[in-house]
Amino acid sequence: MKNIKKIFHRLSYLQYPLLLAAFYFLIKPLFKGFDYLSANPEYLFNTYSNALILFGVTLSFSALQDPSRTSLRFEKKIWENPKKAKLLLSITLITTLIFFTAGLLGFWMSGSSQKEFALGSIVLGIGLLGYLKFQIELFETHKGKASEE
């Protein structure tokens, strides 16, 4: 069972190339120029839809990390402080609800290019939901460690 956990923890490193690909799709429209984008808004929707999908998948892989370890000092301080941790959890929950709700509404009420953008928003909302679960595990793991040290 420990080997399976290690495999999942190692799979979480796929988040980094996925993040780079998502950022590529985020800046890709800038290379076309604003004249092209104003004449072809569907290109912007399609490209940003791809970015949202990749950000959602990135967050899903990020949630595979080991919750018993934190990579940054300031991150450890957040999870060991219940007030800060609950604030971060609340922000993530609100962001998840916004993306998921906006995606569902956009999917039901929009045209084809906006529908793809709404799908990207839904995928990002699902990725955020998985990451929220990971954050809860981090909080549960680290909340008692501040008093132990």
Side-chain angles (χ1 to χ4, degrees):
M1 192 65 154
K2 203 170 193 176
N3 288 336
I4 293 173
K5 280 187 174 184
K6 278 186 178 181
I7 290 170
F8 279 106
H9 295 165
R10 295 220 167 116
L11 276 174
S12 75
Y13 288 107
L14 287 173
Q15 68 182 299
Y16 300 111
L18 288 168
L19 187 63
L20 288 174
F23 277 123
Y24 166 74
F25 279 107
L26 210 57
I27 63 168
K28 184 180 174 185
L30 298 176
F31 297 121
K32 290 282 188 178
F34 291 110
D35 293 333
Y36 178 82
L37 294 176
S38 61
N40 303 301
E42 69 279 346
Y43 177 79
L44 192 64
F45 279 110
N46 292 337
T47 308
Y48 280 175
S49 171
N50 292 336
L52 289 175
I53 289 170
L54 284 171
F55 279 126
V57 174
T58 298
L59 285 170
S60 296
F61 276 100
S62 177
L64 297 175
Q65 296 178 65
D66 183 4
S68 65
R69 298 170 28 161
T70 55
S71 55
L72 304 170
R73 243 184 258 135
F74 83 90
E75 185 182 8
K76 189 175 183 178
K77 287 180 183 179
I78 290 171
W79 295 118
E80 289 178 351
N81 182 331
K83 199 173 193 178
K84 291 178 184 177
K86 287 177 183 175
L87 176 65
L88 187 61
L89 288 170
S90 299
I91 291 169
T92 305
L93 177 64
I94 290 167
T95 305
T96 303
L97 291 173
I98 289 171
F99 274 104
F100 199 70
T101 305
L104 286 176
L105 290 174
F107 188 75
W108 285 319
M109 294 194 275
S110 62
S112 62
S113 61
Q114 290 90 358
K115 203 168 259 200
E116 285 185 36
F117 188 74
L119 257 171
S121 184
I122 291 169
V123 171
L124 181 58
I126 292 169
L128 280 165
L129 191 62
Y131 192 70
L132 178 64
K133 181 198 173 288
F134 172 70
Q135 285 181 324
I136 292 169
E137 290 174 359
L138 266 173
F139 177 51
E140 289 173 350
T141 303
H142 292 282
K143 69 180 172 186
K145 290 188 177 182
S147 58
E148 293 173 10
E149 294 174 0

